[in-house]
Amino acid sequence: MFFYHLLNRMAPGQFWGTKLRFYRKMSYPLSLHNPKTFNEKINWRKAYDRNPLFPICADKLRVRDYVKDKIGEEHLIPLLYSGEQIDVDTLKGLEGEFVVKANHNSGRVHMVLADKPADLEAIAANINKQLQRPYSTKTGEWWYAQIPPRALIEKMLRSESGEWAEDYKFFVFNRNGEKEVILQMTYGKEKDMNVVFYDEALEPLPFKIHFNCDYRPFNKPKNYEKMVELAKTLAGDLDFCRVDLYNVDGAIYFGEMTFAPTNGLAPFDPLKYDRWMGDKWQLPNR
């Protein structure tokens, strides 16, 4: 892994490190001159697209103002704390269940639950360690380098029955002014994890990425159509973005916006769906 990081630093973005790592993972050569697959287009974005919205919307704190302006403050998860670091006293002073994370990466997230003891010292130490590490060097996602690292704590979302809020990942494509979504759902945990993709008509799509896929029917939650509308609104100024939303008994909350899902290294099975997804993405003028 150090070898690939070194190559990326010597010749960043479109050069040897990225191309070697891509071929090793994907089993086909990366074309940045004429990208066609979904994964190629993610890597093209990392190398060439300097959209000023990326650092704003990838920042888990700054994006809150963006979401408020676009769809309304009622869709924001309550923020309990934010700061340049986190300490045990701050964690001890909070009531109820909450989630602790950093704003500038896709690092580990810590959940403090009512029915499970939490090692608050370990949580604080891990978050503070994350805040010291530049995430963009590892992934090549340049926008993370422009995010001032901060710790944040949000309220844990649960339904009235006590279930954790379901996470809905909307891949939003904006092609010739027409928006289309592909939905990703994750079922189960760890060894039993299943990841299923659905088209806009909520039909299971016949491919998988990384994890098993049992192509189960989709169980539509209350206000699902509103979720699709909100995802399209949040991604309305972008050619592509993944928008994550939560649904809690019909109340819709914003999760995050992601500009390079799986860092552009997600093997599709069958492979042809990598191109199928890529065809939905109309890159900006080059």
Side-chain angles (χ1 to χ4, degrees):
M1 185 61 69
F2 173 78
F3 175 67
Y4 293 102
H5 289 172
L6 179 62
L7 284 171
N8 274 323
R9 289 176 180 173
M10 294 172 61
Q14 68 271 35
F15 293 101
W16 297 105
T18 296
K19 289 192 172 185
L20 283 172
R21 191 178 182 197
F22 186 93
Y23 186 80
R24 184 186 184 197
K25 183 76 173 180
M26 306 299 299
S27 300
Y28 69 89
L30 169 64
S31 171
L32 293 177
H33 175 69
N34 187 26
K36 295 183 181 298
T37 69
F38 181 70
N39 283 291
E40 285 179 322
K41 291 183 177 182
I42 290 176
N43 281 277
W44 183 93
R45 167 178 276 182
K46 291 192 297 179
Y48 297 116
D49 194 346
R50 293 300 183 264
N51 191 318
L53 279 178
F54 293 173
I56 295 171
C57 293
D59 184 331
K60 295 181 179 66
L61 285 171
R62 289 183 71 191
V63 73
R64 293 177 65 88
D65 287 333
Y66 180 86
V67 172
K68 179 180 176 181
D69 291 341
K70 284 284 188 179
I71 62 174
E73 190 173 14
E74 66 271 21
H75 298 294
L76 292 172
I77 299 173
L79 182 66
L80 306 180
Y81 169 85
S82 66
E84 294 185 0
Q85 61 180 8
I86 192 74
D87 56 46
V88 175
D89 289 339
T90 299
L91 296 173
K92 286 182 177 179
L94 297 174
E95 297 181 355
E97 299 182 316
F98 51 86
V99 178
V100 191
K101 53 186 155 182
N103 72 318
H104 74 302
N105 63 14
S106 294
R108 184 180 178 187
V109 172
H110 298 272
M111 294 183 291
V112 177
L113 308 176
D115 58 352
K116 186 176 181 181
D119 187 339
L120 300 183
E121 290 187 1
I123 291 174
N126 178 261
I127 294 297
N128 290 330
K129 187 175 183 180
Q130 289 186 41
L131 297 177
Q132 300 301 315
R133 291 182 173 179
Y135 187 69
S136 61
T137 302
K138 177 181 179 181
T139 66
E141 298 170 65
W142 61 267
W143 45 91
Y144 285 115
Q146 298 186 15
I147 300 175
R150 297 288 186 272
L152 69 147
I153 303 176
E154 294 176 330
K155 180 182 177 180
M156 170 71 75
L157 298 177
R158 284 190 186 269
S159 67
E160 290 185 1
S161 63
E163 298 294 323
W164 289 353
E166 197 78 67
D167 188 6
Y168 299 80
K169 300 182 184 296
F170 294 94
F171 290 63
V172 186
F173 299 92
N174 189 351
R175 187 175 184 83
N176 297 323
E178 295 293 326
K179 299 180 184 66
E180 178 184 359
V181 301
I182 299 296
L183 173 65
Q184 176 188 333
M185 295 297 298
T186 300
Y187 304 106
K189 296 180 180 179
E190 299 176 354
K191 292 182 179 180
D192 296 325
M193 185 178 293
N194 273 273
V195 177
V196 185
F197 289 83
Y198 301 89
D199 63 19
E200 196 152 325
L202 297 178
E203 292 296 326
L205 291 165
F207 65 84
K208 60 183 179 180
I209 298 177
H210 288 307
F211 300 99
N212 292 326
C213 179
D214 59 10
Y215 307 116
R216 69 183 65 181
F218 180 66
N219 184 20
K220 186 188 292 189
K222 183 179 179 181
N223 290 336
Y224 178 77
E225 288 76 13
K226 181 66 174 178
M227 294 178 72
V228 174
E229 176 188 334
L230 294 178
K232 289 181 177 181
T233 299
L234 287 170
D237 297 325
L238 300 156
D239 44 271
F240 163 75
C241 180
R242 198 191 80 198
V243 178
D244 296 0
L245 299 174
Y246 297 100
N247 190 312
V248 184
D249 298 322
I252 301 166
Y253 293 94
F254 171 78
E256 64 179 310
M257 295 174 71
T258 301
F259 299 103
T262 325
N263 199 28
L265 293 170
F268 281 68
D269 181 15
L271 178 60
K272 66 179 182 179
Y273 283 95
D274 197 352
R275 175 65 183 270
W276 181 82
M277 285 272 280
D279 287 343
K280 297 181 181 299
W281 184 351
Q282 184 177 43
L283 291 175
N285 293 330
R286 291 168 270 175

